């Protein structure tokens, strides 16, 4: 398939910081409506890949397209138009401290011209979708637990009904039960919105639950990608070591660096 | 030749910082004059920078005026020139002490606060979140602070001028025995438009420097709590030094214009 046939496509993307090469000929294609999870160890380039997609970092070379449209080196106005169809759940939720819960959720709506009262109504509905009632809407982020912050972050990500959702380590820092609740909410929200999703995580339980396909990143490249059900029979030493959390294996060399 | 390497590295790092600062300043100024604007945030920053800085600037000004009157009396009484005290007080306050002391005090308060706030937003990914929510961080975070700093500092300094002159008046009249009406008349007769105007121009420039340093260091902070702390320190130190440098430059310009 050509890159224009995919919702999201990254081809031969290179990104380095000084002498450190982070993405080294990175390729990833995601079809419309697909849920792809990228797994990999710390510092292998998962977050950098996501920031390149969001336009927060610019790769040295390669092509990144969304709906077949190149997104590298585009103007701020074009970037805003692309961002209109993207929702993002950050690792630590990244809620704005100075704004209440509903203002956080409604922020993207109001930035796009929705009136304050309409934006508040939509925010309340989205908060209900992630299991938060009216008692929290006027609270500020510093009075929320980690799990509640993630829920609010998720509500903010889906508030504008985006076509694409990015999740950065959605279960990091949560207990296993809350992590599973967030996983269920992500699956539920994706089903509701029909969005194309890309998630990066270390959490295999989370990956198995929310992914149609799993991709493994190592040394700046995707070394394996396949349906979630195939990961246990991937035949790839790096994938096998990672999903079983073994100390011995190809990852060890990286860890000792 | 190895000893040249660190010199070269430091030079390149310095030039890179200057380049980044120029690009940051240009981008911020451009976004400060182009829509969309965020009036609610601009007003909030004006209150923060202007209204909440009033107590510290007012206290600094009144004590500066009082000390100035006392010290001037000590010197001028040695050659029977005590009558020049109102003139010295008003000239020193409006041209120098008002803008410089207010600038340094506001620098400690506001540059630190802006750097800490933006730095925390940077390291907790709130700045990135703004971008993903179709909001330009320069327009939303930097431009309102620029506008508030440049507009509120002259107002603050104008008030500081009045309070500083009042400090000199109180000491001169109630401690040194000056005639109140004569003191005020002397002050009014001596002060010229350029004295006050030059101080207010300095104040606007200092407001620009304070918000620029706070925003620049906060926006580029990294490395968690330590990085935010470093950014805060750098913002206050660089703003204070730049205020003193630009005070000399602006004084030189006004000296040439006056002369």
């Amino acid at each position: 398939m050509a890159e224009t046939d995919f919702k999201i496509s990254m081809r031969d993307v290179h990104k380095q910081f000084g002498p450190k090469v982070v993405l080294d000929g990175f390729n990833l294609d995601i079809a419309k409506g697909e849920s792809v999870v990228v797994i990999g160890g710390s510092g292998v380039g998962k977050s950098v890949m996501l920031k390149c997609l969001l336009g927060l970092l610019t790769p040295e070379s390669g092509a990144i397209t969304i709906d077949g449209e190149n997104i590298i080196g585009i103007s701020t106005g074009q970037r805003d138009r692309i961002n209109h169809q993207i929702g993002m759940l950050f690792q630590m939720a990244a809620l704005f401290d100075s704004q209440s819960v509903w203002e956080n959720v409604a922020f993207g709506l109001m930035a796009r011209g929705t009136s304050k009262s309409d934006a508040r109504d939509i925010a309340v509905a989205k908060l209900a979708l992630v299991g938060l009632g009216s008692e929290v809407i006027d609270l500020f982020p510093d009075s929320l637990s980690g799990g509640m912050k993630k829920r609010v972050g998720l509500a903010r990500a889906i508030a504008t009904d985006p076509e694409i959702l990015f999740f950065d380590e959605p279960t990091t820092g949560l207990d296993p039960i809350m992590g599973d609740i967030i996983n269920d909410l992500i699956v539920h929200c994706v089903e509701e919105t029909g969005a194309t999703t890309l998630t990066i995580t270390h959490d295999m339980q989370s990956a198995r639950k929310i992914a149609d396909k799993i991709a493994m990143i190592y040394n700046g490249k995707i070394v394996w990608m396949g349906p979630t059900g195939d990961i246990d029979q991937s035949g790839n030493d790096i994938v096998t070591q990672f999903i079983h959390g073994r100390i011995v294996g190809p990852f060890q060399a990286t860890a000792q660096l | 030749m190895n000893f040249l390497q660190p010199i070269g590295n430091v030079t390149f790092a310095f030039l890179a910082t200057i380049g980044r600062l120029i690009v940051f300043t240009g981008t911020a100024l451009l976004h400060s004059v182009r829509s969309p604007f965020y009036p609610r945030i601009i007003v909030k920053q004006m209150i923060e920078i202007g209204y909440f800085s009033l107590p510290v600037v007012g206290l600094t000004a009144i004590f500066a005026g009082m000390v100035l009157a006392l010290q001037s009396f000590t010197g001028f009484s040695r050659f029977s020139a005590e009558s020049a005290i109102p003139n010295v007080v008003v000239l020193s306050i409006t041209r120098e002490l008002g803008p410089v002391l207010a600038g340094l005090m506001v620098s400690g308060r506001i540059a630190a606060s802006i750097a800490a706030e933006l730095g925390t937003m940077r390291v907790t990914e709130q700045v990135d979140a703004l971008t993903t929510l179709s909001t330009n961080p320069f327009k939303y975070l930097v431009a309102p602070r620029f506008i508030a700093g440049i507009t509120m500092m002259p107002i603050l300094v104008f008030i500081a001028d009045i309070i500083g002159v009042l400090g000199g008046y109180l000491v001169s009249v109630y401690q040194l025995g000056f005639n109140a009406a004569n003191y005020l008349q002397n002050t009014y007769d001596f002060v010229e438009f350029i004295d006050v105007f030059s101080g207010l121009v300095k104040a606007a420039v200092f407001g620009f420097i304070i918000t620029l340093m706070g925003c620049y260091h906060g926006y580029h902070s990294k490395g968690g709590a330590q990085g935010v702390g470093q950014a805060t320190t750098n913002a206050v130190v660089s703003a204070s030094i730049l205020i003193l440098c630009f005070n000399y430059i602006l004084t030189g310009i006004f000296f040439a214009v006056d002369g």
Side-chain angles (χ1 to χ4, degrees):
Chain A
M1 285 172 87
E3 62 189 81
T4 50
D5 299 328
F6 294 102
K7 185 74 179 170
I8 300 168
S9 180
M10 301 178 80
R11 295 285 169 91
D12 196 27
V13 175
H14 289 78
K15 179 69 190 171
Q16 63 185 82
F17 298 96
K20 183 172 170 55
V21 177
V22 181
L23 297 180
D24 187 15
F26 184 88
N27 293 293
L28 181 69
D29 294 315
I30 305 174
K32 189 175 188 319
E34 205 168 43
S35 176
V36 171
V37 171
V38 175
I39 57 172
S42 299
V44 295
K46 301 191 299 294
S47 294
V48 171
M49 172 205 69
L50 210 50
K51 286 184 175 180
C52 287
L53 276 169
L54 288 165
L56 300 170
L57 291 174
T58 307
E60 275 83 39
S61 63
I64 302 179
T65 61
I66 289 180
D67 285 329
E69 187 183 348
N70 171 52
I71 61 163
I72 298 177
I74 56 177
S75 68
T76 311
Q78 288 171 306
R79 185 71 240 182
D80 281 348
R81 189 171 47 76
I82 297 285
N83 282 349
H84 278 189
Q85 52 174 318
I86 294 175
M88 167 85 188
L89 172 59
F90 286 85
Q91 188 173 348
M92 303 308 289
L95 301 179
F96 304 125
D97 302 322
S98 58
Q99 305 207 358
S100 65
V101 164
W102 83 263
E103 286 172 324
N104 264 285
V105 177
F107 193 95
L109 292 162
M110 290 195 284
R112 290 162 209 193
T114 309
S115 72
K116 194 174 177 180
S117 60
D118 288 348
R120 186 183 165 103
D121 291 343
I122 295 169
V124 171
K126 297 297 180 185
L127 284 165
L129 198 64
V130 298
L132 292 173
S134 57
E135 68 279 3
V136 303
I137 60 172
D138 290 319
L139 296 179
F140 281 81
D142 62 358
S143 54
L144 302 178
S145 67
M148 287 168 88
K149 282 181 183 168
K150 279 275 165 80
R151 286 175 190 234
V152 175
L154 182 57
R156 184 172 71 179
I158 62 171
T160 54
D161 295 324
E163 293 174 26
I164 297 169
L165 281 166
F166 294 141
F167 301 112
D168 184 1
E169 310 269 5
T171 56
T172 296
L174 302 178
D175 65 72
I177 296 168
M178 184 52 73
D180 209 35
I181 290 170
I182 295 293
N183 288 335
D184 284 342
L185 283 172
I186 289 173
V187 171
H188 176 61
C189 291
V190 170
E191 282 171 358
E192 284 273 318
T193 59
T196 305
T197 69
L198 173 62
T199 307
I200 58 175
T201 187
H202 305 108
D203 182 351
M204 282 311 300
Q205 190 188 347
S206 177
R208 288 177 196 276
K209 192 150 197 170
I210 63 182
D212 298 326
K213 283 183 181 170
I214 296 178
M216 174 87 199
I217 182 173
Y218 182 69
N219 276 352
K221 292 185 178 77
I222 295 292
V223 292
W224 181 86
M225 184 168 176
T228 306
D230 292 356
I231 194 161
D232 292 313
Q233 296 82 39
S234 68
N236 184 302
D237 291 344
I238 298 167
V239 175
T240 306
Q241 184 198 352
F242 185 83
I243 63 175
H244 292 105
R246 291 177 186 143
I247 297 170
V248 179
F251 254 94
Q252 193 176 30
T254 306
Q256 284 173 346
L257 287 173
Chain B
M1 293 298 281
N2 274 351
F3 73 96
L4 289 175
Q5 193 175 343
I7 298 172
N9 287 341
V10 169
T11 307
F12 278 123
F14 177 72
L15 291 174
T17 304
I18 296 292
R20 267 199 304 273
L21 184 59
I22 290 170
V23 170
F24 185 90
T25 308
T27 311
L29 285 174
L30 195 68
H31 286 297
S32 299
V33 295
R34 284 169 61 177
S35 63
F37 299 104
Y38 294 93
R40 259 184 59 202
I41 299 174
I42 293 171
V43 170
K44 189 180 166 195
Q45 289 302 321
M46 283 178 157
I47 293 169
E48 181 61 40
I49 294 173
Y51 181 72
F52 288 118
S53 296
L54 259 179
V56 68
V57 169
L59 278 172
T60 309
I62 198 161
F63 285 117
M66 290 161 77
V67 167
L68 193 60
L70 278 179
Q71 293 286 28
S72 304
F73 185 81
T74 308
F76 288 3
S77 61
R78 291 177 188 170
F79 45 92
S80 304
E82 295 92 336
S83 62
I85 288 177
N87 312 344
V88 170
V89 169
V90 72
L91 204 68
S92 307
I93 291 285
T94 54
R95 279 182 168 257
E96 280 302 323
L97 294 178
V100 173
L101 290 179
L104 293 175
M105 296 309 285
V106 175
S107 158
R109 233 194 119 246
I110 297 300
S113 146
I114 292 175
E117 187 178 357
L118 266 58
T120 305
M121 289 185 76
R122 166 62 74 193
V123 300
T124 57
E125 296 184 307
Q126 291 178 52
V127 176
D128 292 343
L130 278 174
T131 307
T132 66
L133 292 164
S134 307
T135 302
N136 188 318
F138 272 90
K139 284 195 188 298
Y140 189 78
L141 297 174
V142 180
R145 286 165 173 80
F146 261 40
I147 294 168
I150 293 168
T151 53
M152 292 316 289
M153 270 302 285
I155 297 172
L156 262 180
V157 167
F158 187 71
I159 296 169
D161 287 350
I162 295 169
I163 295 174
V165 171
L166 174 71
Y169 167 87
L170 291 174
V171 166
S172 301
V173 172
Y174 295 104
Q175 191 173 345
L176 304 176
F178 277 69
N179 177 281
N182 283 348
Y183 187 97
L184 289 176
Q185 191 62 47
N186 274 354
T187 300
Y188 182 74
D189 289 345
F190 190 75
V191 70
E192 290 180 10
F193 172 76
I194 189 68
D195 300 329
V196 179
F197 180 73
S198 66
L200 299 186
V201 171
K202 282 182 180 180
V205 174
F206 297 165
F208 172 74
I209 289 170
I210 290 164
T211 47
L212 173 65
M213 288 297 106
C215 290
Y216 175 78
H217 288 289
Y219 197 85
H220 289 103
S221 72
K222 51 190 170 187
Q226 194 178 12
V228 175
Q230 190 63 51
T232 307
T233 306
N234 290 343
V236 176
V237 171
S238 55
S240 302
I241 290 170
L242 282 175
I243 282 172
L244 296 173
C245 289
F246 273 84
N247 182 48
Y248 175 73
I249 293 167
L250 291 169
T251 303
I253 291 169
F254 282 112
F255 185 76
V257 170
D258 247 357

